Amino acid sequence: MLLLLMVLEALWAGGNTFETHIIGGRNAVPHSRPYMVSLQKSGCHQCGGVLLNQNWVLTAAHCVTQPTQQLRLVLGLHVLGEPSPTYRIKKVVLHPKHKPVPHLENDLALLKLDGKVKPSKTIQPLALPQGRQAVAAGTRCSVAGWGLTHQPGQLAKVLQELDLRVLDTRMCNNSRFWNGTISPHMICLAADSKSQAPCKVRVLGGDSGGPVVCRRGQVAGILSFSSVECTDIFKPPVAVAVAPYMPWIKKVLRH
């Protein structure tokens, strides 16, 4: 553990606040992630999301701004601004124990579309976890989004993706890292390079709300927050683990 901390300290340094764009990522193969959703406000990308079935999208609760009548869910996108199926939000279900910034706990929201999605080559749902066990430390995962590619900078036009690994929660809660604020239902993530990270724009969500995909092509997490300096290894990006919330998700989808 001490050796790992020393290596991490040698690689990175940075800031600290609750805010989650992909820096140092790569262009995704067009429509290789047909489950990706762009949550938009007044035509501008605000957050990511993941299509769960023909009716529902899962995203981060902090991404759902009021009034929701101004929000749209755009499916099947690769390049922002391209003509794509767009839906209004019929219903918003925030997790009942959601706490907003600065606590940002249980940061999940289910959004019901105002129409039934017709699956196609560019639009497909992503499977939910089978069990309730969060992903283990060391697991290789990936994220995608239209967030910043440089800091400071502009939102990406083309969908970006980045490979990450899951960090040990105890290490993430070390006083030199998130100092005890990471709950057992959160996932700390790290890239292989100090210049890579998912990140959230302060006002726009960027990559927030987008899925963390690990083994078996299931949604393992939803990107929630990172530090102001998104590549600060001592404040690694954090996602909400989806598996522990499966009883709530299934209940909402069922009813």
Side-chain angles (χ1 to χ4, degrees):
M1 176 67 73
L2 178 60
L3 177 60
L4 178 57
L5 289 174
M6 292 173 64
V7 171
L8 291 174
E9 184 173 18
L11 285 175
W12 290 307
N16 175 15
T17 193
F18 288 97
E19 294 300 338
T20 269
H21 34 262
I22 289 179
I23 296 175
R26 60 183 179 273
N27 286 357
V29 174
H31 307 296
S32 59
R33 297 175 182 263
Y35 48 78
M36 289 296 300
V37 176
S38 172
L39 176 61
Q40 300 186 2
K41 182 176 182 179
S42 302
C44 295
H45 175 76
Q46 181 163 309
C47 274
V50 56
L51 183 67
L52 299 183
N53 59 29
Q54 291 181 311
N55 298 294
W56 290 91
V57 166
L58 180 65
T59 188
H62 77 263
C63 289
V64 185
T65 58
Q66 300 294 334
T68 56
Q69 291 86 348
Q70 296 180 2
L71 300 178
R72 298 291 185 272
L73 295 166
V74 186
L75 280 58
L77 273 178
H78 178 61
V79 179
L80 288 180
E82 288 182 338
S84 295
T86 302
Y87 296 82
R88 295 176 183 269
I89 297 174
K90 184 177 181 179
K91 185 176 183 180
V92 175
V93 183
L94 301 181
H95 190 273
K97 293 186 179 180
H98 166 65
K99 293 183 181 179
V101 173
H103 305 288
L104 211 55
E105 296 178 11
N106 306 301
D107 190 26
L108 290 177
L110 285 162
L111 309 179
K112 188 173 186 180
L113 305 171
D114 69 343
K116 186 170 288 189
V117 174
K118 184 178 181 181
S120 65
K121 289 183 178 180
T122 60
I123 301 175
Q124 293 285 340
L126 184 62
L128 285 162
Q130 296 300 312
R132 295 175 59 178
Q133 189 71 33
V135 290
T139 302
R140 303 296 299 188
C141 304
S142 66
V143 296
W146 291 275
L148 301 184
T149 54
H150 298 87
Q151 192 177 14
Q154 301 295 319
L155 293 175
K157 287 292 185 182
V158 176
L159 182 66
Q160 300 292 297
E161 61 184 11
L162 179 65
D163 297 325
L164 300 166
R165 68 185 183 282
V166 177
L167 296 177
D168 181 74
T169 301
R170 290 172 299 176
M171 187 194 74
C172 248
N173 268 328
N174 186 284
S175 59
R176 299 167 68 189
F177 287 72
W178 282 111
N179 195 27
T181 60
I182 305 302
S183 77
H185 292 172
M186 294 179 181
I187 305 172
C188 272
L189 300 161
D192 292 329
S193 167
K194 65 180 181 180
S195 60
Q196 297 176 313
C199 193
K200 175 191 167 204
V201 189
R202 182 175 296 273
V203 178
L204 300 176
D207 293 320
S208 283
V212 178
V213 179
C214 302
R215 55 188 179 277
R216 296 188 297 276
Q218 300 171 354
V219 53
I222 295 294
L223 285 172
S224 182
F225 64 87
S226 64
S227 67
V228 170
E229 185 174 338
C230 298
T231 53
D232 176 8
I233 187 54
F234 291 105
K235 296 293 182 289
V238 177
V240 184
V242 171
Y245 294 92
M246 282 306 298
W248 170 71
I249 292 173
K250 287 181 177 179
K251 181 179 179 181
V252 175
L253 299 189
R254 188 167 56 244
H255 297 291

